[in-house]
Amino acid sequence: MSKSSKVYISELKDNVEKEITLSGWLYKGRSSGKVQFLVIRDGTGLCQCIVEKGNVSDELFEQLKKLGQESSLRVTGTVRAEERSPGGFELAVTAAEIVSAASDYPITPKSHGVDFLLKHRHLHLRSQRQWCIGKIRHTVIDAIRTFFNDNGFTLIDTPIFTTMAGEEQASLFGVDYFGEQLHLTQTGQLHLESAAMSFGKVYCFGPTFRAEKSKTRRHLTEFWMVEPEVAFIDLPGLLELAENFVSFIAARVLENNKGQLETLGADISGLENIKPPFYRLTYTEAVEILTGEKTKQFLASQLSELKKQKQQIEKTIAELEDRQGGKLKQWQKDKIAAELIELRGELTETETKIENNPKHAELSAEFRWGKDLGGSDETIISQMHDRPVFVTHYPKDAKAFYMKTDRNNPKVVENFDLLAPEGFGEIIGGSVREDDHDILLERIKHQDLNPDDYKWYLDLRKYGSVPHGGFGLGVERTVAWLTGEKHIRQCIAFPRMMDKVYI
Ligand code: 4AD
Ligand code: MG
């Protein structure tokens, strides 16, 4: 190999007209007789490499021509600016070294079903979509840490083995701990409250476990949650913290990941709109909206819009199927096949939405004060707003024991959920915490929890109790919302769901 310097694709802009070496994998290749176009990926981007017959040995030219997708290689050549190339640069190849030739890579451009891709997640991570989502997730996590570190919060690592329930008991994962029955943590909040009484402003950030029996697009059994907790804060203070926090994350993603958002087809102008103040509704107002005329009209016009969309997709599918019958080159056939799979997926999804619309209309019309908002209720409310919506003051009996009873209206608690816009639904849940010892004890008993398990937690209300509160933001839901990904399983490298733990 030549002595040219090793460069990453992300550094090509600083190496125009220089001879460099890229190390990576063959993403796709195409040959037109005397020229080959090899698209290489190296973890930082894609680069089209041009191999012209005569510029490399005939033997290498033939080897490269036969090289299978995802073979690893090093290529040396001169960097040229080229607008039409992915990334804006290309490499005029003068030498190449095949590191490991691959054949029959199972994930082809043909597109595959969700199940197949999940079973091949170890390889599917190399796809452009998964790569873009992974880069955005990285920014989200970095922004989360930066926001809290720069705003005077101290990181506290809360335990994963716990003795008590923080959220619904039904979603606890049991663990045999040397003969004793413990649980995997559902939230770090309770321990964090103890730390807030020492450090004032704290946060924890780690994996969280819920034995969720629901197989929805919003639920994983293992997910990442960040939870801030603040001493001496009230509900308006918490809402302000949450809207600044979420706006900061969105701004960082726009700043660092525009290219990836574009590749994913994310709603960039929608994200540019994510700035404080967010909308604020009480639960009671949300119920009025759900059961009111406006929602009825909204769902009716949505239904006719969906029906139009369905017709349009069916028309495009029919056209493509027609073209498929004609005489085409292999790459054109592959392209149409991939588009068809995508469109059929969209069609199924639109049909499901058409089917669900009347159910949602019925559910929302029949919604009665007292119930927790369900997935479809959240979807409707967030679809009706172009920025995130806070819903506050839920009925006490629909919510967790630790939430503070509103002293002005004891039927509700001082809590909030933050619903991401355009139908995405809840990404944050939080509250002011009950700080009165006796009221908290009463709530623990009322929810059939064992007061002995909460002795230390009750202690915090005995020794210098203060108004305090916090919230939890789910990383995968946030990434799904920002990227426009429909299912949160795509937003973590190795997802765990009720019925699926493949890899
Ligand atoms: O609303 P949740 O259950 O709130 C708590 O756990 C509080 N203890 C947080 C606090 O106040 N410190 O969960 C918070 C967030 C949800 O809004 C959602 O984004 C995410 O965690 N989440 C899930 N994400 C993926 N899969 C699941 N099964 C999730 N359950 C909750
Ligand atoms: Mg919640």
Side-chain angles (χ1 to χ4, degrees), residues 166-168 186-190 192-193 204 208-212 214 216-229 399-400 402-403 416-418 424-431 433 469-478 488 496:
E167 301 298 324
E168 280 148 69
Q186 293 173 305
T187 168
Q189 177 202 319
L190 307 190
L192 211 54
E193 285 183 51
C204 66
T208 308
F209 305 88
R210 306 245 174 124
E212 304 274 10
S214 50
T216 76
R217 64 187 175 90
R218 293 173 186 170
H219 289 95
L220 295 169
T221 52
E222 178 180 321
F223 61 97
W224 282 67
M225 176 158 68
V226 60
E227 298 176 87
E229 189 73 27
K399 287 290 171 184
Y402 55 72
M403 295 184 177
F416 73 96
D417 276 355
L418 179 66
F424 193 79
E426 178 193 335
I427 57 169
I428 291 186
S431 76
R433 319 305 185 189
F471 58 82
L473 168 129
V475 167
E476 292 73 18
R477 288 202 194 168
T478 305
I488 67 169
R496 268 83 185 99

Side-chain angles (χ1 to χ4, degrees), residues 60 67 126-127 202 221 443:
L60 180 63
L67 202 59
R126 303 179 191 192
S127 73
V202 290
T221 52
R443 296 292 301 148

Side-chain angles (χ1 to χ4, degrees), residues 9 24-31 35-42 45-51 64-73 75 84-86 105 107-110 126-128 263 331 334-335 338:
I9 291 171
W25 295 263
L26 179 62
Y27 185 64
K28 58 183 174 188
R30 176 164 69 84
S31 164
V35 191
Q36 291 176 47
F37 303 89
L38 306 180
V39 179
I40 307 271
R41 53 166 203 88
D42 75 345
L46 294 177
C47 176
Q48 175 156 279
C49 302
I50 315 288
V51 192
L64 289 174
K65 209 169 177 175
K66 290 196 209 98
L67 202 59
Q69 190 187 342
E70 289 303 322
S71 294
S72 49
L73 70 168
V75 280
R84 286 169 298 178
S85 179
Y105 185 67
I107 306 176
T108 63
K110 257 193 252 146
R126 303 179 191 192
S127 73
Q128 272 304 287
T263 305
W331 70 267
D334 288 348
K335 196 164 166 245

Side-chain angles (χ1 to χ4, degrees), residues 140-194:
V140 167
I141 289 178
D142 190 52
I144 287 171
R145 295 190 195 285
T146 304
F147 180 86
F148 289 121
N149 294 343
D150 289 356
N151 283 288
F153 284 72
T154 301
L155 174 72
I156 302 293
D157 296 314
T158 49
I160 286 178
F161 290 130
T162 59
T163 54
M164 60 223 253
E167 301 298 324
E168 280 148 69
Q169 294 195 72
S171 72
L172 282 170
F173 270 115
V175 201
D176 179 280
Y177 191 80
F178 306 109
E180 196 187 335
Q181 184 65 21
L182 295 189
H183 316 290
L184 296 180
T185 185
Q186 293 173 305
T187 168
Q189 177 202 319
L190 307 190
H191 293 86
L192 211 54
E193 285 183 51
S194 144

Side-chain angles (χ1 to χ4, degrees), residues 33 36 53 56-67:
Q36 291 176 47
K53 207 172 171 131
V56 296
S57 73
D58 285 354
E59 192 193 346
L60 180 63
F61 192 84
E62 286 311 309
Q63 279 175 351
L64 289 174
K65 209 169 177 175
K66 290 196 209 98
L67 202 59

Side-chain angles (χ1 to χ4, degrees), residues 373-390:
L373 295 180
S376 73
D377 310 311
E378 287 177 0
T379 305
I380 293 169
I381 291 180
S382 67
Q383 273 171 346
M384 293 167 86
H385 293 83
D386 58 354
R387 258 177 300 139
V389 190
F390 287 116

